[in-house]
């Protein structure tokens, strides 16, 4: 996911993330920043909000790297107030 996101392939990163979840693989504190960065690069606000919800459910908002990725995603989507 991180490689896709870093190389401008946000759609592929999102698809891999969805596939991962369908197969029962749970995202963690390393996965969330990568997928949030993919959302940020595509300004995919609706997907980013869903992922933010998952972060909240898992109690990972206080993780500095995850929190920064959330803020970055909302900022790049033009809705920093939502962060």
């Amino acid at each position: 996911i991180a490689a896709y996101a870093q190389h401008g392939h946000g759609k592929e990163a999102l698809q891999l993330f969805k596939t991962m979840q369908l197969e029962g693989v749970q995202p963690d504190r390393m996965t969330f920043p990568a997928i949030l960065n993919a959302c940020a690069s595509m300004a995919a606000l609706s997907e980013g909000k869903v992922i933010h919800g998952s972060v909240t459910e898992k109690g990972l908002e206080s993780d500095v790297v995850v929190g920064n990725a959330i803020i970055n995603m909302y900022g790049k989507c033009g809705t920093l107030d939502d962060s």
Side-chain angles (χ1 to χ4, degrees):
I1 291 173
Y4 279 133
Q6 290 171 358
H7 289 64
H9 299 283
K11 284 185 178 184
E12 290 84 352
L14 276 171
Q15 184 58 46
L16 183 56
F17 182 76
K18 289 174 184 177
T19 300
M20 183 179 90
Q21 289 186 303
L22 288 173
E23 293 184 5
V25 179
Q26 296 297 312
D28 60 16
R29 60 183 293 276
M30 302 303 291
T31 309
F32 283 120
I35 197 61
L36 287 164
N37 287 334
C39 291
S41 71
M42 299 186 310
L45 181 60
S46 61
E47 290 88 347
K49 284 184 172 184
V50 171
I51 294 165
H52 183 185
S54 295
V55 168
T56 302
E57 287 174 11
K58 292 194 175 295
L60 293 174
E61 279 186 311
S62 62
D63 184 281
V64 173
V65 176
V66 176
N68 284 341
I70 291 168
I71 292 169
N72 179 57
M73 186 273 299
Y74 282 115
K76 288 189 176 177
C77 291
T79 59
L80 193 55
D81 290 340
D82 289 341
S83 65

